[in-house]
């Protein structure tokens, strides 16, 4: 968030500095992103509040370093916009959308058609042979969102050495993945469901046999180019549509929410789930409003 804000400031004429920043600049920055999709750096009320709080902290730090009065532009802007100021209030924080148990079961079965299943008979046993490497990539990426709680951005930055098979219950089957850190969360490891591990194991084999280059686990091309936000978004949406599930905007985030809720319903400590998701423990409140007691889930 800070990177996009500073890039905007430096792109103005004249450039906006910490000293010159005022409420009008903040309003212009917000307006420049109004109505844009999240993939294009749109600022939702909650993200706007977080960014403005960050800017306010930077301004106060700058004042302490220089001995000058603090620039209050950020706090003034927050105060003047109640829809932003109360964005994190419980009543303004919508409950996460997630898959029902039946929907999750259906999607897991659908995704698993892309891997070998020798226990089945006839055409179903060999159905995986009809998939192109891109189709398999798309399904495995969706599987890691549902089976590992990864966000779309996490999926795109995974490297080929992210999966860990050693120490798992089944030889050569990945059971966790390492997600690199970014400006919003530290590097972390998160477990993946066995069925997702089976799909990932098959993908690693197909990826090697196809001689796909580069270090990205899910590249865009055989030459190893990174998967763009738009292309990955469209791919996830198509997988959900083919599975007969709603694929409206933000639909794939329901997979991540489903993972979080499944872990909480199994009795996993919420702080541990937060670490797996790469979020602050406070962010788990929206899930706790859905889950009151542990229960058996898929």
């Amino acid at each position: 968030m800070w990177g996009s804000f500073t890039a905007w400031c430096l792109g103005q004429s004249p450039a906006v500095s910490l000293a010159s920043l005022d409420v009008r600049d903040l309003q212009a920055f917000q307006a420049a992103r109004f109505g844009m999709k999240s993939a294009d750096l749109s600022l939702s009320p909650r993200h706007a509040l977080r960014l403005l709080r960050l800017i306010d902290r930077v301004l106060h730090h700058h004042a302490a370093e220089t001995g000058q009065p603090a620039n209050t532009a950020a706090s003034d802007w927050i105060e003047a916009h109640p829809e932003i100021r109360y964005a994190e209030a419980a009543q303004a924080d919508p409950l996460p959308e997630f898959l029902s148990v039946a929907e999750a079961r259906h999607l897991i079965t659908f995704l698993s058609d892309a891997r070998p299943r020798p226990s089945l008979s006839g055409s179903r046993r060999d159905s995986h042979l009809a998939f192109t490497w891109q189709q398999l990539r798309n399904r495995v990426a969706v599987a890691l969102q549902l089976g590992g709680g990864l966000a779309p951005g996490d999926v795109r930055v995974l490297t080929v050495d992210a999966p860990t098979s050693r120490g798992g219950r089944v030889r050569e089957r990945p059971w966790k993945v390492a997600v690199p850190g970014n400006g919003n969360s530290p590097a972390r490891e998160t477990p993946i469901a066995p069925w997702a591990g089976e799909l990932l194991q098959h993908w690693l084999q197909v990826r090697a046999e196809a001689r796909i280059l580069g270090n990205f686990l899910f590249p865009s091309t055989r030459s190893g180019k990174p998967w763009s936000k738009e292309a990955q978004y469209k791919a996830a949406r198509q997988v959900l549509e083919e599975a007969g599930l709603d694929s409206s905007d933000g639909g794939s985030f329901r997979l991540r929410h489903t993972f979080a809720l499944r872990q909480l319903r199994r009795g996993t400590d919420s702080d541990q789930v937060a670490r797996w998701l790469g979020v602050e423990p406070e962010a788990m409140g929206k899930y706790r409003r859905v889950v009151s007691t542990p229960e058996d889930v898929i």
Side-chain angles (χ1 to χ4, degrees):
M1 291 190 296
W2 180 255
S4 62
F5 175 69
T6 54
W8 181 87
C9 288
L10 295 174
Q12 304 308 298
S13 182
V16 177
S17 67
L18 292 177
S20 67
L21 178 70
D22 60 25
V23 173
R24 291 171 298 179
D25 295 320
L26 295 172
Q27 183 63 32
F29 176 73
Q30 173 78 353
R33 281 149 178 76
F34 179 78
M36 300 174 71
K37 292 184 180 295
S38 58
D40 299 319
L41 301 180
S42 171
L43 288 180
S44 67
R46 292 179 63 194
H47 280 85
L49 178 61
R50 294 173 185 175
L51 175 60
L52 268 293
R53 285 174 175 170
L54 174 61
I55 295 171
D56 190 52
R57 290 198 298 271
V58 172
L59 292 174
H60 278 80
H61 177 75
H62 178 68
E65 290 288 307
T66 61
Q68 299 295 320
N71 183 339
T72 62
S75 58
D76 291 343
W77 194 90
I78 293 174
E79 184 66 25
H81 294 79
E83 75 279 8
I84 302 298
R85 186 164 76 250
Y86 299 115
E88 290 188 339
Q91 62 271 25
D93 190 7
L95 294 176
E97 295 187 8
F98 55 94
L99 300 181
S100 67
V101 172
E103 288 175 326
R105 289 184 186 277
H106 171 72
L107 181 56
I108 290 171
T109 300
F110 175 79
L111 296 174
S112 297
D113 284 340
R115 68 168 177 84
R117 291 186 292 176
S119 61
L120 299 181
S121 60
S123 59
R124 294 192 64 193
R125 181 183 57 200
D126 298 324
S127 61
H128 67 284
L129 297 175
F131 286 83
T132 66
W133 72 263
Q134 295 98 328
Q135 291 171 325
L136 176 60
R137 173 202 61 194
N138 298 348
R139 291 207 184 189
V140 178
V142 168
L144 291 187
Q145 288 190 256
L146 178 60
L150 301 190
D154 297 331
V155 169
R156 293 192 300 273
V157 298
L158 290 179
T159 59
V160 291
D161 58 355
T164 294
S165 302
R166 188 174 182 179
R169 293 182 178 180
V170 179
R171 185 173 178 268
E172 296 185 358
R173 187 180 74 189
W175 62 279
K176 66 178 179 178
V177 292
V179 183
N182 54 44
N184 296 319
S185 62
R188 68 188 194 276
E189 289 186 330
T190 184
I192 57 176
W195 63 267
E198 292 173 347
L199 274 163
L200 180 54
Q201 180 181 0
H202 179 52
W203 163 247
L204 291 172
Q205 178 182 347
V206 169
R207 189 187 187 287
E209 292 173 351
R211 299 189 180 186
I212 297 173
L213 304 178
N215 198 40
F216 287 111
L217 181 60
F218 300 114
S220 174
T221 63
R222 284 183 180 271
S223 61
K225 290 184 178 180
W227 211 2
S228 70
K229 291 181 181 180
E230 182 179 5
Q232 191 259 335
Y233 164 78
K234 290 181 177 179
R237 181 171 183 170
Q238 182 176 356
V239 169
L240 292 176
E241 287 180 348
E242 291 174 349
L245 298 175
D246 179 25
S247 63
S248 57
D249 285 351
S252 71
F253 270 96
R254 289 177 301 157
L255 310 178
R256 173 174 165 89
H257 298 327
T258 303
F259 169 86
L261 291 169
R262 183 173 66 246
Q263 297 300 329
L264 293 175
R265 284 171 172 157
R266 286 175 170 168
T268 308
D269 180 73
S270 63
D271 286 353
Q272 178 62 71
V273 179
R275 287 191 288 272
W276 289 340
L277 295 175
V279 300
E280 295 296 329
E282 294 77 10
M284 300 304 295
K286 61 185 178 182
Y287 299 118
R288 287 192 291 268
R289 290 164 59 199
V290 177
V291 179
S292 55
T293 58
E295 59 184 76
D296 291 331
V297 294
I298 182 171

